[in-house]
Amino acid sequence: MGTLIMGFLFFFFFLLLFNDVLEQLGNPLIDNYHDNIGTYEYWWNHGLISDSTYQELKKSCPHQSFLFPRGECNAALNQAFNEFGDIDPYNIYGKPCPGITTLRQNLRQPLPWTFRGNDECLIFYTKKYMNDPRVQKALHANVTKKIPYRWAGCSSAIRGNWSDSPKSMLPIFKELIAAGIRIWVYSGDTDAILPLTATRYSINALKLKTLSDWYAWTDDQGEVGGWSQTYKGLTYVTVRGAGHEVPLTQPRRATVLFRYFLRNLPLPAPAVD
């Protein structure tokens, strides 16, 4: 959900800069029901969980809160996470952060703390950096030295205290589309926490008219950068080989995506011989 919040911050930022109404959301949590269904399907299709666990998730979890599951759903999710093995679920083909925080260590924590929504290596080094007195001085932060706690990532504070998480953002999407706001939603296709199948189910629930069918787009080196489909009021894009934080795992392709978004142009299709 933090990614969704960042998307709305992007919207206001570009509104001020370009006097245009834009919004770009990456690997967002959109709708509890559709995201749950699509997430478990992705886990099963990518061999991360067993058939029996997949069936239990489909039975117990579709109508549960995505962020705060309970009861039998909570138990099924913990079984699924144990079956994952020691991987980075935000980038399933990447490496987990060695020697700092592994998936096995995270599994000892109750949901929703099992996965905190951030690359563990990145958070580890960012914490060290942001708590360095020299960095704080350069940023003019904590200049009085009276803040009684260390800098920490926002996910812990938000997920530890958020009690009114909405079940669905689909009504908001409908309002923004009706207002003429230009929206691009994108997914890194190796993210197992908010995977592309979840996002596609949520977008399909909007029942938008298709303007441009699914096609492969190319990056600036002529390689397939991912796939895209344009609807009336919304463009959906996948980024090949990217995890949850697309600019972190595929910066070159993320730059292409961002460039075409700002220019309000469809991503380039492969050249036809």
PDB file of all heavy atoms in Angstrom, residues 172-186:
ATOM      1  N   ILE A 172     -11.701   4.737  -6.233  1.00  0.00           N
ATOM      2  CA  ILE A 172     -10.845   5.907  -6.451  1.00  0.00           C
ATOM      3  C   ILE A 172     -10.342   5.931  -7.888  1.00  0.00           C
ATOM      4  O   ILE A 172     -10.300   6.991  -8.534  1.00  0.00           O
ATOM      5  CB  ILE A 172      -9.667   5.918  -5.462  1.00  0.00           C
ATOM      6  CG1 ILE A 172     -10.181   5.906  -4.017  1.00  0.00           C
ATOM      7  CG2 ILE A 172      -8.760   7.117  -5.706  1.00  0.00           C
ATOM      8  CD1 ILE A 172     -11.022   7.101  -3.658  1.00  0.00           C
ATOM      9  N   PHE A 173      -9.943   4.762  -8.399  1.00  0.00           N
ATOM     10  CA  PHE A 173      -9.531   4.682  -9.799  1.00  0.00           C
ATOM     11  C   PHE A 173     -10.642   5.192 -10.717  1.00  0.00           C
ATOM     12  O   PHE A 173     -10.392   5.946 -11.665  1.00  0.00           O
ATOM     13  CB  PHE A 173      -9.165   3.247 -10.168  1.00  0.00           C
ATOM     14  CG  PHE A 173      -7.731   2.900  -9.940  1.00  0.00           C
ATOM     15  CD1 PHE A 173      -7.291   2.486  -8.692  1.00  0.00           C
ATOM     16  CD2 PHE A 173      -6.811   2.971 -10.971  1.00  0.00           C
ATOM     17  CE1 PHE A 173      -5.971   2.156  -8.477  1.00  0.00           C
ATOM     18  CE2 PHE A 173      -5.483   2.653 -10.759  1.00  0.00           C
ATOM     19  CZ  PHE A 173      -5.052   2.243  -9.512  1.00  0.00           C
ATOM     20  N   LYS A 174     -11.872   4.764 -10.450  1.00  0.00           N
ATOM     21  CA  LYS A 174     -12.994   5.165 -11.294  1.00  0.00           C
ATOM     22  C   LYS A 174     -13.194   6.682 -11.252  1.00  0.00           C
ATOM     23  O   LYS A 174     -13.473   7.320 -12.278  1.00  0.00           O
ATOM     24  CB  LYS A 174     -14.255   4.434 -10.861  1.00  0.00           C
ATOM     25  CG  LYS A 174     -14.225   2.932 -11.133  1.00  0.00           C
ATOM     26  CD  LYS A 174     -15.473   2.226 -10.615  1.00  0.00           C
ATOM     27  CE  LYS A 174     -15.396   0.727 -10.876  1.00  0.00           C
ATOM     28  NZ  LYS A 174     -16.588   0.016 -10.337  1.00  0.00           N
ATOM     29  N   GLU A 175     -13.051   7.266 -10.063  1.00  0.00           N
ATOM     30  CA  GLU A 175     -13.193   8.716  -9.942  1.00  0.00           C
ATOM     31  C   GLU A 175     -12.093   9.448 -10.704  1.00  0.00           C
ATOM     32  O   GLU A 175     -12.357  10.445 -11.390  1.00  0.00           O
ATOM     33  CB  GLU A 175     -13.156   9.117  -8.464  1.00  0.00           C
ATOM     34  CG  GLU A 175     -14.376   8.697  -7.671  1.00  0.00           C
ATOM     35  CD  GLU A 175     -14.288   9.135  -6.218  1.00  0.00           C
ATOM     36  OE1 GLU A 175     -13.464  10.039  -5.935  1.00  0.00           O
ATOM     37  OE2 GLU A 175     -15.017   8.580  -5.384  1.00  0.00           O
ATOM     38  N   LEU A 176     -10.854   8.967 -10.592  1.00  0.00           N
ATOM     39  CA  LEU A 176      -9.743   9.618 -11.270  1.00  0.00           C
ATOM     40  C   LEU A 176      -9.861   9.493 -12.787  1.00  0.00           C
ATOM     41  O   LEU A 176      -9.575  10.440 -13.525  1.00  0.00           O
ATOM     42  CB  LEU A 176      -8.420   9.003 -10.796  1.00  0.00           C
ATOM     43  CG  LEU A 176      -8.092   9.188  -9.310  1.00  0.00           C
ATOM     44  CD1 LEU A 176      -6.787   8.491  -8.967  1.00  0.00           C
ATOM     45  CD2 LEU A 176      -8.013  10.661  -8.950  1.00  0.00           C
ATOM     46  N   ILE A 177     -10.278   8.310 -13.245  1.00  0.00           N
ATOM     47  CA  ILE A 177     -10.457   8.115 -14.688  1.00  0.00           C
ATOM     48  C   ILE A 177     -11.570   9.023 -15.208  1.00  0.00           C
ATOM     49  O   ILE A 177     -11.426   9.665 -16.255  1.00  0.00           O
ATOM     50  CB  ILE A 177     -10.770   6.635 -14.990  1.00  0.00           C
ATOM     51  CG1 ILE A 177      -9.530   5.770 -14.723  1.00  0.00           C
ATOM     52  CG2 ILE A 177     -11.231   6.453 -16.433  1.00  0.00           C
ATOM     53  CD1 ILE A 177      -9.796   4.281 -14.754  1.00  0.00           C
ATOM     54  N   ALA A 178     -12.668   9.119 -14.476  1.00  0.00           N
ATOM     55  CA  ALA A 178     -13.779   9.986 -14.888  1.00  0.00           C
ATOM     56  C   ALA A 178     -13.361  11.453 -14.920  1.00  0.00           C
ATOM     57  O   ALA A 178     -13.880  12.236 -15.713  1.00  0.00           O
ATOM     58  CB  ALA A 178     -14.961   9.800 -13.937  1.00  0.00           C
ATOM     59  N   ALA A 179     -12.384  11.812 -14.072  1.00  0.00           N
ATOM     60  CA  ALA A 179     -11.905  13.197 -14.030  1.00  0.00           C
ATOM     61  C   ALA A 179     -10.873  13.483 -15.123  1.00  0.00           C
ATOM     62  O   ALA A 179     -10.400  14.617 -15.234  1.00  0.00           O
ATOM     63  CB  ALA A 179     -11.301  13.497 -12.659  1.00  0.00           C
ATOM     64  N   GLY A 180     -10.517  12.469 -15.901  1.00  0.00           N
ATOM     65  CA  GLY A 180      -9.582  12.673 -17.005  1.00  0.00           C
ATOM     66  C   GLY A 180      -8.118  12.617 -16.617  1.00  0.00           C
ATOM     67  O   GLY A 180      -7.250  13.054 -17.387  1.00  0.00           O
ATOM     68  N   ILE A 181      -7.827  12.079 -15.451  1.00  0.00           N
ATOM     69  CA  ILE A 181      -6.439  11.963 -15.021  1.00  0.00           C
ATOM     70  C   ILE A 181      -5.756  10.835 -15.788  1.00  0.00           C
ATOM     71  O   ILE A 181      -6.296   9.743 -15.917  1.00  0.00           O
ATOM     72  CB  ILE A 181      -6.366  11.714 -13.499  1.00  0.00           C
ATOM     73  CG1 ILE A 181      -6.879  12.949 -12.764  1.00  0.00           C
ATOM     74  CG2 ILE A 181      -4.950  11.370 -13.060  1.00  0.00           C
ATOM     75  CD1 ILE A 181      -6.943  12.791 -11.270  1.00  0.00           C
ATOM     76  N   ARG A 182      -4.569  11.127 -16.304  1.00  0.00           N
ATOM     77  CA  ARG A 182      -3.821  10.135 -17.079  1.00  0.00           C
ATOM     78  C   ARG A 182      -3.107   9.187 -16.113  1.00  0.00           C
ATOM     79  O   ARG A 182      -2.274   9.615 -15.317  1.00  0.00           O
ATOM     80  CB  ARG A 182      -2.822  10.826 -18.000  1.00  0.00           C
ATOM     81  CG  ARG A 182      -1.940   9.870 -18.773  1.00  0.00           C
ATOM     82  CD  ARG A 182      -1.439  10.518 -20.058  1.00  0.00           C
ATOM     83  NE  ARG A 182      -0.718  11.751 -19.834  1.00  0.00           N
ATOM     84  CZ  ARG A 182       0.606  11.804 -19.637  1.00  0.00           C
ATOM     85  NH1 ARG A 182       1.310  10.709 -19.594  1.00  0.00           N
ATOM     86  NH2 ARG A 182       1.199  12.974 -19.490  1.00  0.00           N
ATOM     87  N   ILE A 183      -3.417   7.907 -16.190  1.00  0.00           N
ATOM     88  CA  ILE A 183      -2.912   6.914 -15.235  1.00  0.00           C
ATOM     89  C   ILE A 183      -2.127   5.833 -15.955  1.00  0.00           C
ATOM     90  O   ILE A 183      -2.606   5.254 -16.936  1.00  0.00           O
ATOM     91  CB  ILE A 183      -4.078   6.259 -14.457  1.00  0.00           C
ATOM     92  CG1 ILE A 183      -4.894   7.322 -13.708  1.00  0.00           C
ATOM     93  CG2 ILE A 183      -3.560   5.206 -13.488  1.00  0.00           C
ATOM     94  CD1 ILE A 183      -6.160   6.771 -13.082  1.00  0.00           C
ATOM     95  N   TRP A 184      -0.932   5.570 -15.455  1.00  0.00           N
ATOM     96  CA  TRP A 184      -0.168   4.388 -15.862  1.00  0.00           C
ATOM     97  C   TRP A 184       0.060   3.536 -14.618  1.00  0.00           C
ATOM     98  O   TRP A 184       0.468   4.046 -13.568  1.00  0.00           O
ATOM     99  CB  TRP A 184       1.187   4.774 -16.450  1.00  0.00           C
ATOM    100  CG  TRP A 184       1.148   5.245 -17.878  1.00  0.00           C
ATOM    101  CD1 TRP A 184       0.133   5.916 -18.488  1.00  0.00           C
ATOM    102  CD2 TRP A 184       2.180   5.085 -18.854  1.00  0.00           C
ATOM    103  NE1 TRP A 184       0.475   6.191 -19.790  1.00  0.00           N
ATOM    104  CE2 TRP A 184       1.709   5.697 -20.049  1.00  0.00           C
ATOM    105  CE3 TRP A 184       3.440   4.501 -18.844  1.00  0.00           C
ATOM    106  CZ2 TRP A 184       2.477   5.738 -21.210  1.00  0.00           C
ATOM    107  CZ3 TRP A 184       4.207   4.544 -19.995  1.00  0.00           C
ATOM    108  CH2 TRP A 184       3.721   5.133 -21.176  1.00  0.00           C
ATOM    109  N   VAL A 185      -0.218   2.262 -14.718  1.00  0.00           N
ATOM    110  CA  VAL A 185       0.076   1.294 -13.658  1.00  0.00           C
ATOM    111  C   VAL A 185       1.101   0.320 -14.209  1.00  0.00           C
ATOM    112  O   VAL A 185       0.961  -0.155 -15.337  1.00  0.00           O
ATOM    113  CB  VAL A 185      -1.192   0.532 -13.233  1.00  0.00           C
ATOM    114  CG1 VAL A 185      -0.865  -0.486 -12.150  1.00  0.00           C
ATOM    115  CG2 VAL A 185      -2.271   1.501 -12.743  1.00  0.00           C
ATOM    116  N   TYR A 186       2.150   0.037 -13.434  1.00  0.00           N
ATOM    117  CA  TYR A 186       3.175  -0.879 -13.929  1.00  0.00           C
ATOM    118  C   TYR A 186       3.539  -1.921 -12.879  1.00  0.00           C
ATOM    119  O   TYR A 186       3.365  -1.710 -11.679  1.00  0.00           O
ATOM    120  CB  TYR A 186       4.419  -0.116 -14.395  1.00  0.00           C
ATOM    121  CG  TYR A 186       5.148   0.661 -13.321  1.00  0.00           C
ATOM    122  CD1 TYR A 186       6.206   0.088 -12.609  1.00  0.00           C
ATOM    123  CD2 TYR A 186       4.797   1.973 -13.024  1.00  0.00           C
ATOM    124  CE1 TYR A 186       6.885   0.803 -11.642  1.00  0.00           C
ATOM    125  CE2 TYR A 186       5.468   2.698 -12.059  1.00  0.00           C
ATOM    126  CZ  TYR A 186       6.516   2.102 -11.367  1.00  0.00           C
ATOM    127  OH  TYR A 186       7.181   2.823 -10.393  1.00  0.00           O
TER     128      TYR A 186
END
